Amino acid sequence: MQQLEKFAVTKDNSKGRIYAEPEAEYRDLFQRDRDRIIHSTAFRRLEYKTQVFVNHEGDLFRTRLTHTLEVAQIARSVSSALNLNENLSEAIALAHDLGHTPFGHAGQGALNRCMSENGGFEHNLQSIRVVDILEERYAEHPGLNLCFETREGILKHCSKKNACELGDLGKRFLEKKQPSLEAQLTNIADEIAYNNHDIDDGFRAGMLDIESLKETELFGMHYLEVCKVHKNLKKRVLIYEVIRRMINTLVLDLIHETKKNIKILSPQNIKDIRNHNEPLVAQSFELKKQSNELKKFLRINLYEHKRVKEMTTKAEHIIASLFMSFLENHQLMPHDYCKKAQENENNMEKTRVVADYIAGMTDRFAFSCYENLSNIK
Ligand code: MG
């Protein structure tokens, strides 16, 4: 078995689970966490949730599930190269998007507006709610009872107000401390994954073109490299060759830069990692700059593209009308949710039940709910 660094997360330095459990015979803590996540209901729903494109637009686009698997692949590679806990990185990656609403960021924005007077809605925090409370699979406890380190990695960011309510888990946001290296690297693996696959999906949808993408340094550099080696490639293969190289460059840079930072700090244990004033997992200045340029390009040319915007407007309308309908009439929700909403006197709690129900929906389920409600009206 691979020898882990002394500052990696292990079962000996783990802060453990909320509810104590006997150890498993063959699997370590984080293999178990990973398995629990894979078997969860929220994980299965990722297949029918949007990343950028709505799920029914085409079979070839990324969904949250395929995105999640790509993040897990990158996170495991980086984790293993740095002799860190690969199982933990994988578990965090697989759970990182569990709290996403239907219709991607459009859905989250809409739900956040609906909840503005009742604590707001944030997908990161919702992912924690899913694994801590909403998944109902165990007789002994609510949620999946994941280890602290897995939950810490899922909670990438958090407002001070919310951090205060999260106890131990929120502490680092108040004390400005760092999560484990496994969590830090999974966060960047997420970025590497979506920037690159959004290019691929954007091409496929005919919203991006090589001519303008070539102007960005990161894409342009690798594009020239591919053209030098291969003449007359089919456009699709050419794009894959460029993306493959970009991911490789970004991943290698991340590994090298992080190794450098580790060498300078020379951490002796995980406390040194947590107490450091900034993350040790980082991209080089140059690659960070190039990634930011690419992100900006994607924002302007893809995320704000007319077709994506149209979809966004539709999604916002659907989420807002579902929210209003369920709030006015709890009985339109399934029995469990209806009962929970009716039992709660407090308006804040009632709206949270509605938000939980909507957030758990897949794109297509939200669509059909909306259609049914429109027919009733
Ligand atoms: Mg993600």
Side-chain angles (χ1 to χ4, degrees), residues 46-78:
L46 292 175
E47 185 177 0
Y48 301 104
K49 288 201 182 197
T50 300
Q51 190 69 24
V52 174
F53 301 90
V54 176
N55 182 257
H56 65 263
E57 281 198 21
D59 289 344
L60 297 171
F61 296 119
R62 262 68 173 190
T63 64
R64 291 228 170 258
L65 181 63
T66 54
H67 160 69
T68 292
L69 296 176
E70 292 181 25
V71 177
Q73 180 273 315
I74 295 173
R76 283 184 55 178
S77 299
V78 177

Short mmCIF file of all heavy atoms in Angstrom, two decimals, residues 46-78:
data_model
loop_
_atom_site.label_atom_id
_atom_site.label_comp_id
_atom_site.label_asym_id
_atom_site.label_seq_id
_atom_site.Cartn_x
_atom_site.Cartn_y
_atom_site.Cartn_z
N LEU A 46 -28.05 12.96 -9.59
CA LEU A 46 -27.10 13.82 -10.32
C LEU A 46 -27.16 13.57 -11.82
O LEU A 46 -26.85 14.43 -12.62
CB LEU A 46 -25.67 13.58 -9.83
CG LEU A 46 -25.34 14.03 -8.41
CD1 LEU A 46 -23.91 13.60 -8.04
CD2 LEU A 46 -25.47 15.54 -8.26
N GLU A 47 -27.56 12.35 -12.18
CA GLU A 47 -27.63 11.99 -13.60
C GLU A 47 -28.61 12.89 -14.37
O GLU A 47 -28.43 13.14 -15.54
CB GLU A 47 -28.05 10.52 -13.73
CG GLU A 47 -28.03 10.05 -15.16
CD GLU A 47 -28.36 8.57 -15.30
OE1 GLU A 47 -28.61 7.91 -14.27
OE2 GLU A 47 -28.36 8.09 -16.45
N TYR A 48 -29.63 13.32 -13.69
CA TYR A 48 -30.65 14.11 -14.38
C TYR A 48 -30.65 15.57 -13.93
O TYR A 48 -31.67 16.24 -13.94
CB TYR A 48 -32.03 13.47 -14.22
CG TYR A 48 -32.04 12.07 -14.77
CD1 TYR A 48 -32.00 10.97 -13.94
CD2 TYR A 48 -32.01 11.87 -16.16
CE1 TYR A 48 -31.97 9.68 -14.46
CE2 TYR A 48 -31.97 10.59 -16.68
CZ TYR A 48 -31.95 9.50 -15.82
OH TYR A 48 -31.90 8.24 -16.35
N LYS A 49 -29.49 16.02 -13.48
CA LYS A 49 -29.38 17.43 -13.12
C LYS A 49 -28.40 18.12 -14.05
O LYS A 49 -27.41 17.54 -14.47
CB LYS A 49 -28.92 17.57 -11.67
CG LYS A 49 -30.00 17.19 -10.68
CD LYS A 49 -29.72 17.79 -9.33
CE LYS A 49 -30.77 17.37 -8.33
NZ LYS A 49 -30.78 18.21 -7.16
N THR A 50 -28.70 19.38 -14.32
CA THR A 50 -27.91 20.14 -15.27
C THR A 50 -26.60 20.63 -14.72
O THR A 50 -26.50 20.98 -13.55
CB THR A 50 -28.70 21.41 -15.65
OG1 THR A 50 -29.91 20.99 -16.21
CG2 THR A 50 -27.94 22.25 -16.63
N GLN A 51 -25.64 20.68 -15.61
CA GLN A 51 -24.42 21.41 -15.32
C GLN A 51 -24.60 22.80 -15.95
O GLN A 51 -24.90 23.75 -15.26
CB GLN A 51 -23.24 20.64 -15.90
CG GLN A 51 -21.89 21.13 -15.49
CD GLN A 51 -21.60 20.89 -14.03
OE1 GLN A 51 -22.17 20.00 -13.38
NE2 GLN A 51 -20.73 21.68 -13.48
N VAL A 52 -24.47 22.88 -17.27
CA VAL A 52 -24.72 24.15 -17.97
C VAL A 52 -25.96 24.01 -18.86
O VAL A 52 -26.83 24.87 -18.90
CB VAL A 52 -23.52 24.56 -18.84
CG1 VAL A 52 -23.85 25.80 -19.67
CG2 VAL A 52 -22.30 24.83 -17.98
N PHE A 53 -26.05 22.87 -19.54
CA PHE A 53 -27.15 22.64 -20.47
C PHE A 53 -28.24 21.84 -19.76
O PHE A 53 -27.94 20.99 -18.94
CB PHE A 53 -26.64 21.86 -21.68
CG PHE A 53 -25.56 22.60 -22.40
CD1 PHE A 53 -24.23 22.42 -22.06
CD2 PHE A 53 -25.88 23.50 -23.40
CE1 PHE A 53 -23.23 23.12 -22.70
CE2 PHE A 53 -24.88 24.22 -24.03
CZ PHE A 53 -23.54 24.02 -23.69
N VAL A 54 -29.47 22.12 -20.11
CA VAL A 54 -30.56 21.37 -19.49
C VAL A 54 -30.50 19.91 -19.94
O VAL A 54 -30.14 19.62 -21.08
CB VAL A 54 -31.93 21.98 -19.84
CG1 VAL A 54 -33.06 21.15 -19.27
CG2 VAL A 54 -32.03 23.38 -19.26
N ASN A 55 -30.81 19.03 -19.03
CA ASN A 55 -30.63 17.60 -19.24
C ASN A 55 -31.24 17.05 -20.52
O ASN A 55 -30.68 16.20 -21.18
CB ASN A 55 -31.16 16.86 -18.02
CG ASN A 55 -30.97 15.37 -18.14
OD1 ASN A 55 -31.91 14.66 -18.42
ND2 ASN A 55 -29.74 14.92 -17.99
N HIS A 56 -32.37 17.59 -20.95
CA HIS A 56 -33.00 16.99 -22.12
C HIS A 56 -32.52 17.59 -23.43
O HIS A 56 -32.98 17.22 -24.49
CB HIS A 56 -34.52 17.11 -22.00
CG HIS A 56 -34.99 18.53 -22.05
ND1 HIS A 56 -35.26 19.24 -20.91
CD2 HIS A 56 -35.17 19.37 -23.08
CE1 HIS A 56 -35.61 20.47 -21.26
NE2 HIS A 56 -35.54 20.57 -22.55
N GLU A 57 -31.56 18.54 -23.38
CA GLU A 57 -31.10 19.17 -24.63
C GLU A 57 -30.33 18.22 -25.53
O GLU A 57 -30.23 18.41 -26.72
CB GLU A 57 -30.25 20.40 -24.32
CG GLU A 57 -31.09 21.60 -23.96
CD GLU A 57 -30.31 22.91 -24.07
OE1 GLU A 57 -29.29 22.95 -24.76
OE2 GLU A 57 -30.73 23.87 -23.43
N GLY A 58 -29.71 17.23 -24.93
CA GLY A 58 -28.97 16.27 -25.74
C GLY A 58 -28.31 15.25 -24.84
O GLY A 58 -28.03 15.54 -23.68
N ASP A 59 -28.08 14.06 -25.38
CA ASP A 59 -27.52 12.98 -24.56
C ASP A 59 -26.02 13.11 -24.35
O ASP A 59 -25.45 12.39 -23.55
CB ASP A 59 -27.80 11.64 -25.22
CG ASP A 59 -29.27 11.29 -25.14
OD1 ASP A 59 -29.96 11.93 -24.33
OD2 ASP A 59 -29.72 10.41 -25.88
N LEU A 60 -25.38 13.98 -25.13
CA LEU A 60 -23.93 13.99 -25.09
C LEU A 60 -23.35 15.02 -24.12
O LEU A 60 -22.17 15.02 -23.83
CB LEU A 60 -23.36 14.26 -26.50
CG LEU A 60 -23.71 13.17 -27.51
CD1 LEU A 60 -23.32 13.60 -28.91
CD2 LEU A 60 -23.01 11.87 -27.15
N PHE A 61 -24.19 15.87 -23.60
CA PHE A 61 -23.70 16.90 -22.70
C PHE A 61 -23.44 16.35 -21.30
O PHE A 61 -24.04 15.36 -20.90
CB PHE A 61 -24.69 18.06 -22.60
CG PHE A 61 -24.88 18.77 -23.91
CD1 PHE A 61 -26.12 18.82 -24.52
CD2 PHE A 61 -23.81 19.39 -24.54
CE1 PHE A 61 -26.29 19.48 -25.73
CE2 PHE A 61 -23.96 20.04 -25.75
CZ PHE A 61 -25.20 20.08 -26.35
N ARG A 62 -22.55 17.05 -20.60
CA ARG A 62 -22.29 16.66 -19.21
C ARG A 62 -23.52 16.87 -18.36
O ARG A 62 -24.26 17.85 -18.53
CB ARG A 62 -21.18 17.54 -18.59
CG ARG A 62 -19.83 16.94 -18.59
CD ARG A 62 -19.34 16.85 -19.97
NE ARG A 62 -17.96 16.43 -20.06
CZ ARG A 62 -17.29 16.47 -21.19
NH1 ARG A 62 -17.88 16.88 -22.29
NH2 ARG A 62 -16.05 16.07 -21.23
N THR A 63 -23.69 15.98 -17.42
CA THR A 63 -24.69 16.20 -16.38
C THR A 63 -23.87 16.36 -15.11
O THR A 63 -22.64 16.22 -15.14
CB THR A 63 -25.60 14.98 -16.24
OG1 THR A 63 -24.78 13.89 -15.80
CG2 THR A 63 -26.25 14.61 -17.56
N ARG A 64 -24.54 16.57 -14.00
CA ARG A 64 -23.78 16.67 -12.74
C ARG A 64 -23.11 15.35 -12.40
O ARG A 64 -22.09 15.34 -11.73
CB ARG A 64 -24.69 17.10 -11.61
CG ARG A 64 -25.14 18.49 -11.75
CD ARG A 64 -25.00 19.32 -10.50
NE ARG A 64 -25.26 20.69 -10.85
CZ ARG A 64 -24.35 21.62 -11.04
NH1 ARG A 64 -23.07 21.33 -10.85
NH2 ARG A 64 -24.67 22.83 -11.39
N LEU A 65 -23.70 14.26 -12.86
CA LEU A 65 -23.08 12.97 -12.55
C LEU A 65 -21.76 12.79 -13.30
O LEU A 65 -20.74 12.44 -12.71
CB LEU A 65 -24.04 11.82 -12.88
CG LEU A 65 -23.48 10.43 -12.57
CD1 LEU A 65 -23.22 10.25 -11.08
CD2 LEU A 65 -24.43 9.33 -13.04
N THR A 66 -21.77 13.05 -14.60
CA THR A 66 -20.53 12.86 -15.35
C THR A 66 -19.49 13.90 -14.93
O THR A 66 -18.31 13.59 -14.84
CB THR A 66 -20.77 12.90 -16.88
OG1 THR A 66 -21.45 14.10 -17.20
CG2 THR A 66 -21.58 11.72 -17.34
N HIS A 67 -19.94 15.10 -14.61
CA HIS A 67 -19.01 16.11 -14.09
C HIS A 67 -18.36 15.60 -12.80
O HIS A 67 -17.16 15.66 -12.62
CB HIS A 67 -19.75 17.43 -13.84
CG HIS A 67 -19.05 18.35 -12.89
ND1 HIS A 67 -17.86 18.99 -13.21
CD2 HIS A 67 -19.31 18.71 -11.61
CE1 HIS A 67 -17.45 19.71 -12.18
NE2 HIS A 67 -18.31 19.55 -11.19
N THR A 68 -19.21 15.07 -11.92
CA THR A 68 -18.74 14.57 -10.64
C THR A 68 -17.68 13.48 -10.82
O THR A 68 -16.66 13.45 -10.13
CB THR A 68 -19.95 14.03 -9.84
OG1 THR A 68 -20.77 15.15 -9.50
CG2 THR A 68 -19.56 13.29 -8.60
N LEU A 69 -17.92 12.59 -11.78
CA LEU A 69 -16.96 11.50 -12.03
C LEU A 69 -15.64 12.05 -12.57
O LEU A 69 -14.57 11.55 -12.25
CB LEU A 69 -17.56 10.47 -12.99
CG LEU A 69 -18.79 9.73 -12.45
CD1 LEU A 69 -19.37 8.80 -13.52
CD2 LEU A 69 -18.47 8.94 -11.18
N GLU A 70 -15.73 13.09 -13.39
CA GLU A 70 -14.51 13.69 -13.92
C GLU A 70 -13.72 14.38 -12.80
O GLU A 70 -12.49 14.30 -12.76
CB GLU A 70 -14.84 14.67 -15.05
CG GLU A 70 -15.37 13.94 -16.28
CD GLU A 70 -15.71 14.85 -17.47
OE1 GLU A 70 -15.16 15.94 -17.58
OE2 GLU A 70 -16.54 14.43 -18.29
N VAL A 71 -14.42 15.02 -11.91
CA VAL A 71 -13.74 15.66 -10.76
C VAL A 71 -13.06 14.58 -9.92
O VAL A 71 -11.91 14.73 -9.49
CB VAL A 71 -14.73 16.47 -9.89
CG1 VAL A 71 -14.03 17.05 -8.67
CG2 VAL A 71 -15.38 17.59 -10.69
N ALA A 72 -13.78 13.49 -9.68
CA ALA A 72 -13.21 12.41 -8.86
C ALA A 72 -11.95 11.85 -9.52
O ALA A 72 -10.96 11.56 -8.84
CB ALA A 72 -14.25 11.30 -8.67
N GLN A 73 -11.97 11.71 -10.83
CA GLN A 73 -10.80 11.17 -11.54
C GLN A 73 -9.60 12.10 -11.36
O GLN A 73 -8.50 11.65 -11.01
CB GLN A 73 -11.14 11.00 -13.03
CG GLN A 73 -10.01 10.45 -13.88
CD GLN A 73 -9.08 11.54 -14.40
OE1 GLN A 73 -9.55 12.58 -14.87
NE2 GLN A 73 -7.79 11.33 -14.31
N ILE A 74 -9.79 13.40 -11.56
CA ILE A 74 -8.68 14.35 -11.44
C ILE A 74 -8.20 14.41 -9.98
O ILE A 74 -7.00 14.38 -9.70
CB ILE A 74 -9.10 15.75 -11.95
CG1 ILE A 74 -9.38 15.69 -13.45
CG2 ILE A 74 -8.03 16.79 -11.65
CD1 ILE A 74 -9.96 16.95 -14.06
N ALA A 75 -9.15 14.47 -9.06
CA ALA A 75 -8.79 14.56 -7.64
C ALA A 75 -7.98 13.34 -7.19
O ALA A 75 -7.00 13.46 -6.46
CB ALA A 75 -10.05 14.70 -6.79
N ARG A 76 -8.38 12.17 -7.65
CA ARG A 76 -7.63 10.95 -7.27
C ARG A 76 -6.23 10.97 -7.83
O ARG A 76 -5.27 10.63 -7.13
CB ARG A 76 -8.37 9.71 -7.78
CG ARG A 76 -9.56 9.36 -6.93
CD ARG A 76 -10.20 8.09 -7.41
NE ARG A 76 -9.22 7.00 -7.45
CZ ARG A 76 -9.50 5.76 -7.80
NH1 ARG A 76 -10.74 5.46 -8.12
NH2 ARG A 76 -8.58 4.84 -7.81
N SER A 77 -6.08 11.39 -9.08
CA SER A 77 -4.74 11.44 -9.69
C SER A 77 -3.83 12.37 -8.90
O SER A 77 -2.70 12.01 -8.57
CB SER A 77 -4.80 11.98 -11.12
OG SER A 77 -5.58 11.14 -11.91
N VAL A 78 -4.33 13.57 -8.60
CA VAL A 78 -3.50 14.55 -7.89
C VAL A 78 -3.19 14.05 -6.48
O VAL A 78 -2.05 14.12 -6.01
CB VAL A 78 -4.21 15.93 -7.85
CG1 VAL A 78 -3.40 16.94 -7.06
CG2 VAL A 78 -4.46 16.45 -9.26
#
